[in-house]
Amino acid sequence: MSRPLPAFAGHPLDRADHIRGDPERLAELAHPGARVLRLEGLIPRLSEGKRLQWGRLGDVAEGVDMVFLGLLDGEPLFAAVPNGGDPDPAYTRRETWAVLGHLTLDELAIYGGARSLLDWHARHRFCANCGSLTVPAKGGWQRDCASCGAQHFPRTDPVTIMLVEHKGNLLLGRKAGFPEGSYSALAGFVEPGETIEEGVAREVFEEAGLRVRDVGYITSQPWPFPSQLMIACHAFADDDKLTIDKTELEDARWFTREEVREAIESGPESTSFRAPFEIAVAHHMLRWWLEKDDE
Ligand SMILES: [Zn+2]
């Protein structure tokens, strides 16, 4: 069975770490004609053909911090750090989704990686150790503090997201802010000192009161709002009695295979529940589960 490739995965760039650490080579590549991702804040601008729009480095204002995204077919790509990051969960921003819906998988991956990196720069300008202003280093994949010598690196926050199965049924939940009728996989951040499997088990117990076993890995997805790594897992529950944590979930319940199939195949017209959008890894997890059970 093939593993699903969700949005923001499949990054097509050569990340060229050897160039990041070579200031002379980096300066050669950063010529005025080099391509720069065009953004408004953190939202991509689209060309007339609804593709990502690229400007030229020579047109970027003096003093703006630049990051080196990598090489695309040998050509360097850059992006400019915006004045402010995005402290709000971007999935509430319709204008972001309206644009992303046009992009190819390659473009989503380039944009997603750039977005996480740029947002980190915009919101981590000061040293967490001493409070001094830090400066970008290594082509934008690091920030250095000249005052105390600390080095800071872009964040990636691991999140487990899991399908819990019991006697052929699947546990899905909804948070208070979800669109009407929407259900998705339970999810939560991995905590310090915890394996992925332990994170899955803790999260399911906290949110739904279930003990799970045989936690397995399905796939992963970089999620750039702002910088999570979604680790998709599957686990079995020994019983189906739910104790829902209402501070985390508005509802959680078991769905039959037929209900899940109806939700995936009928999209917004579904009569069972509304499945997550295709851009989310949870959508691909449900498809994986339906295929798995078909074997
Ligand atoms: Zn410092």
Side-chain angles (χ1 to χ4, degrees):
M1 184 164 38
S2 65
R3 286 189 174 168
L5 187 66
F8 307 113
H11 202 273
L13 302 185
D14 173 357
R15 291 168 176 265
D17 187 62
H18 61 289
I19 294 176
R20 294 175 189 169
D22 182 346
E24 281 181 25
R25 182 83 183 98
L26 207 51
E28 275 170 31
L29 292 177
H31 54 82
R35 294 166 79 192
V36 179
L37 183 63
R38 295 200 69 186
L39 299 166
E40 277 179 35
L42 285 165
I43 299 173
R45 283 200 187 181
L46 297 188
S47 65
E48 277 183 25
K50 305 286 186 193
R51 301 270 64 82
L52 281 181
Q53 206 181 103
W54 296 88
R56 300 289 163 192
L57 203 52
D59 297 329
V60 176
E62 289 261 333
V64 174
D65 287 338
M66 303 301 297
V67 301
F68 168 58
L69 300 177
L71 301 171
L72 183 63
D73 301 326
E75 186 190 2
L77 301 181
F78 293 88
V81 177
N83 286 331
D86 182 4
D88 300 323
Y91 49 77
T92 63
R93 290 172 178 263
R94 282 170 191 234
E95 61 268 42
T96 303
W97 294 120
V99 171
L100 296 191
H102 294 290
L103 301 185
T104 65
L105 277 178
D106 275 3
E107 288 181 315
L108 282 171
I110 292 172
Y111 167 69
R115 186 189 202 284
S116 287
L117 188 59
L118 295 172
D119 184 61
W120 174 75
H121 279 287
R123 294 198 289 138
H124 294 79
R125 294 182 189 275
F126 294 92
C127 179
N129 188 46
C130 77
S132 301
L133 195 63
T134 57
V135 292
K138 285 202 77 179
W141 294 84
Q142 187 175 314
R143 292 186 75 90
D144 290 344
C145 177
S147 177
C148 76
Q151 297 177 328
H152 303 279
F153 300 94
R155 290 178 67 147
T156 298
D157 301 326
V159 173
T160 55
I161 177 164
M162 62 295 275
L163 296 179
V164 179
E165 183 172 345
H166 177 73
K167 291 187 175 171
N169 292 333
L170 205 58
L171 175 68
L172 300 174
R174 55 173 283 117
K175 290 182 182 282
F178 279 20
E180 201 182 336
S182 293
Y183 281 79
S184 187
L186 306 189
F189 286 97
V190 178
E191 295 188 344
E194 199 170 52
T195 65
I196 292 169
E197 292 84 350
E198 288 164 352
V200 168
R202 176 184 52 76
E203 202 64 37
V204 176
F205 185 70
E206 284 175 2
E207 294 195 357
L210 289 175
R211 296 290 182 190
V212 298
R213 59 181 164 79
D214 300 332
V215 176
Y217 171 79
I218 303 171
T219 190
S220 65
Q221 178 193 37
W223 184 251
F225 307 105
S227 55
Q228 292 90 316
L229 176 64
M230 306 301 292
I231 304 165
C233 295
H234 172 268
F236 290 96
D238 286 326
D239 71 85
D240 60 0
K241 191 178 173 306
L242 302 176
T243 308
I244 299 167
D245 176 1
K246 291 284 186 177
T247 60
E248 289 279 338
L249 296 175
E250 184 180 276
D251 187 31
R253 50 171 278 227
W254 297 97
F255 291 89
T256 65
R257 228 174 107 189
E258 289 66 35
E259 286 174 317
V260 173
R261 189 181 304 286
E262 158 71 11
I264 287 290
E265 289 179 356
S266 303
E269 312 301 318
S270 167
T271 53
S272 63
F273 69 97
R274 286 185 71 168
F277 293 119
E278 209 166 322
I279 207 159
V281 73
H283 179 97
H284 298 267
M285 294 165 73
L286 294 180
R287 284 191 179 276
W288 172 90
W289 185 71
L290 290 172
E291 274 182 42
K292 174 179 93 78
D293 281 6
D294 280 348
E295 280 181 343

